[in-house]
Amino acid sequence: MLPNLISKFMRPFSSMTMGVTPIGSAIGNLPANTEKATIAAGCFWGVEHIYRKHFENKGLLDARVGYIGGDTNNPSYRLVCRGDTGHAEALQVLYDPEKVSYETLIEFFFRMHDPTTPDRQGPDVGSQYRSAIFYHSPEQESTAKKIITAAQKEWFKGQNIATEVIPAGQWWDAEDYHQLYLNNNPGGYECPSQ
């Protein structure tokens, strides 16, 4: 019993990589029109869980949690949690734009977290929990900015949206045990957004 309890507390701080499978490789042939979206909205466990739950069978093809927006190569969870790397905990999704639009994914992003709190979501505090949209094309950048303007006017009157819209740089998959974390550990985390 005691070793299991200790491993539950220590596992989230492990820096081992454990053979991460690249995004999309688990589903075989992806549609030719597959597109990618990358967002950060607090703890990546909850963000992944909510997106998978909401967009299952609605155009979401695959999703991975990882790190983006920093300046350290091959960052580990431990380094990112210390706040020394500049990375955000993020979600990267592959989607079929014939079934779900980028606009729909980004509108949902603003409904599932609080974009007005810089470097914070619920009890999670630090730059790794910032709100950000990492765009992969000029069209994604334009769409994200358009949605921010609309969200500011319609949903967040009197509050400033702190969401950054920045080019997607190097993506680093998080360690395997972070992938599908809340599916595998349903009592392991209370996500404020759920």
Side-chain angles (χ1 to χ4, degrees):
M1 170 87 173
L2 189 56
N4 284 342
L5 182 62
I6 291 170
S7 72
K8 282 186 180 187
F9 285 115
M10 295 305 291
R11 192 174 73 181
F13 298 103
S14 167
S15 60
M16 288 190 346
T17 305
M18 298 202 256
V20 173
T21 306
I23 189 168
S25 63
I27 54 177
N29 293 331
L30 292 168
N33 65 340
T34 298
E35 293 189 19
K36 186 185 303 183
T38 306
I39 57 166
C43 175
F44 52 24
W45 296 340
V47 178
E48 177 192 31
H49 187 73
I50 291 168
Y51 265 81
R52 284 185 181 276
K53 188 174 167 183
H54 190 78
F55 292 104
E56 181 179 24
N57 299 318
K58 297 178 187 171
L60 180 75
L61 301 173
D62 199 6
R64 301 288 295 174
V65 296
Y67 316 112
I68 192 168
D71 53 14
T72 300
N73 287 336
N74 200 23
S76 67
Y77 185 63
R78 181 174 291 215
L79 289 174
V80 172
C81 282
R82 283 198 332 226
D84 297 336
T85 69
H87 289 88
E89 288 191 16
L91 174 70
Q92 190 165 83
V93 299
L94 295 180
Y95 66 98
D96 182 343
E98 291 181 14
K99 294 182 180 177
V100 63
S101 68
Y102 183 74
E103 186 170 349
T104 298
L105 294 171
I106 299 304
E107 285 175 354
F108 184 74
F109 165 81
F110 283 103
R111 293 186 169 145
M112 56 75 55
H113 84 297
D114 182 354
T116 67
T117 54
D119 298 338
R120 179 186 191 121
Q121 286 300 304
D124 298 322
V125 179
S127 64
Q128 68 271 29
Y129 301 115
R130 67 188 176 271
S131 175
I133 299 167
F134 298 90
Y135 61 86
H136 296 272
S137 69
E139 295 79 20
Q140 284 189 352
E141 177 185 21
S142 175
T143 299
K145 288 179 177 179
K146 179 184 84 170
I147 292 170
I148 286 175
T149 299
Q152 185 70 62
K153 289 178 185 173
E154 296 174 31
W155 303 328
F156 299 100
K157 294 176 186 170
Q159 299 173 299
N160 290 324
I161 290 179
T163 304
E164 300 172 327
V165 178
I166 48 183
Q170 176 67 49
W171 171 266
W172 302 96
D173 274 344
E175 297 81 354
D176 268 348
Y177 66 87
H178 290 296
Q179 310 302 330
L180 295 165
Y181 187 84
L182 291 180
N183 286 25
N184 297 325
N185 302 280
Y189 180 76
E190 188 70 30
C191 182
S193 298
Q194 290 188 24

